[in-house]
Amino acid sequence: MSVKECGHHSSQRRNLLRLILGAIAAFVVLILLVIFLIWVILRPTKPHFTLQDATLYAFNLSTPTPNTLTLTMQVTLSSHNPNARIGVYYHALRVYASYRSQQISLATALPDTYQGHRDFAVWSPFLFGNVVPVSPFVLTSLQQDQSAAGAVVVNVKVNGRVKWKVGSWVSGRYHIYVNCPAYISFAGDRSNVAGVVASPVKFRLLQSCSVDV
């Protein structure tokens, strides 16, 4: 085989390689473009959460040291999927109560749920915290809040995962974080730092929650 023929075959191989690489690059760009267009057209919007009410059974602070808090409450949470073409899967949701960034109840598991287009979901979990140790900062804050306003703000928080469903396609899992402030008031002497609730007290809140996905 002459040098000229070898050069000709080498040039053909290079051209073929360029065509293959170009086809692969074009295919990848096309797939990314389709995904981008679907995302722009559908515009998935994160769910809207509302804390509808809270029923307080006990909120007892024990002093002196060790400072502990006992909490029993039931909350009603609702979620609305505002998307007209996208469903939402909820996985491994855990709800708990928090005060001044300290968790004051055990995490309660919510059932896995599928939420259709523009659909609603409602959960009514109980939250329990039995003799939970609290920091001196939390103790001082509780005393100040109750003496000043006769009320405290308990944050009902939800952590878990969501997946988007478009037709038969289901996305990967995304973390969802929900924070719902619940304004809880206590009757009686404001100088009493332990808000003891002897009988259930229901607070109708209809409080919008912040949602991060």
Side-chain angles (χ1 to χ4, degrees):
M1 182 181 293
S2 65
V3 176
K4 183 177 180 180
E5 290 176 339
C6 290
H8 176 70
H9 287 298
S10 177
S11 177
Q12 285 182 331
R13 284 195 297 270
R14 285 196 297 270
N15 291 336
L16 180 60
L17 182 59
R18 291 194 188 99
L19 288 174
I20 293 173
L21 292 177
I24 293 174
F27 178 76
V28 172
V29 170
L30 180 61
I31 294 298
L32 293 176
L33 181 60
V34 169
I35 294 174
F36 174 75
L37 289 176
I38 291 174
W39 187 264
V40 169
I41 293 171
L42 296 177
R43 294 181 182 178
T45 302
K46 59 189 178 183
H48 300 159
F49 276 74
T50 301
L51 179 61
Q52 296 184 350
D53 58 58
T55 302
L56 194 64
Y57 294 89
F59 192 97
N60 304 329
L61 182 65
S62 300
T63 58
T65 304
N67 304 317
T68 60
L69 178 66
T70 296
L71 168 73
T72 303
M73 67 187 300
Q74 183 182 21
V75 298
T76 301
L77 282 166
S78 66
S79 171
H80 174 225
N81 174 17
N83 297 288
R85 302 180 183 89
I86 302 175
V88 182
Y89 283 104
Y90 296 96
H91 292 274
L93 295 182
R94 300 288 186 271
V95 56
Y96 61 93
S98 172
Y99 177 77
R100 296 296 178 99
S101 300
Q102 179 174 340
Q103 185 172 335
I104 57 175
S105 80
L106 297 173
T108 300
L110 300 181
D112 289 352
T113 304
Y114 173 72
Q115 195 172 44
H117 309 157
R118 294 179 175 171
D119 199 3
F120 288 84
V122 179
W123 303 277
S124 296
F126 277 88
L127 305 179
F128 300 97
N130 186 28
V131 193
V132 179
V134 295
S135 66
F137 167 75
V138 169
L139 172 63
T140 302
S141 298
L142 281 169
Q143 292 172 333
Q144 292 175 347
D145 289 346
Q146 189 166 0
S147 62
V152 297
V153 179
V154 175
N155 292 88
V156 178
K157 299 183 177 182
V158 182
N159 277 309
R161 298 289 186 271
V162 295
K163 296 194 294 185
W164 310 109
K165 182 178 184 294
V166 182
S168 60
W169 177 80
V170 179
S171 74
R173 295 188 179 186
Y174 294 85
H175 180 262
I176 185 171
Y177 175 77
V178 182
N179 185 11
C180 309
Y183 297 89
I184 306 299
S185 61
F186 301 104
D189 185 5
R190 291 186 179 182
S191 64
N192 178 13
V193 299
V196 179
V197 179
S199 58
V201 179
K202 188 170 187 176
F203 300 91
R204 298 190 180 276
L205 302 169
L206 294 177
Q207 178 65 48
S208 296
C209 310
S210 64
V211 180
D212 292 318
V213 178

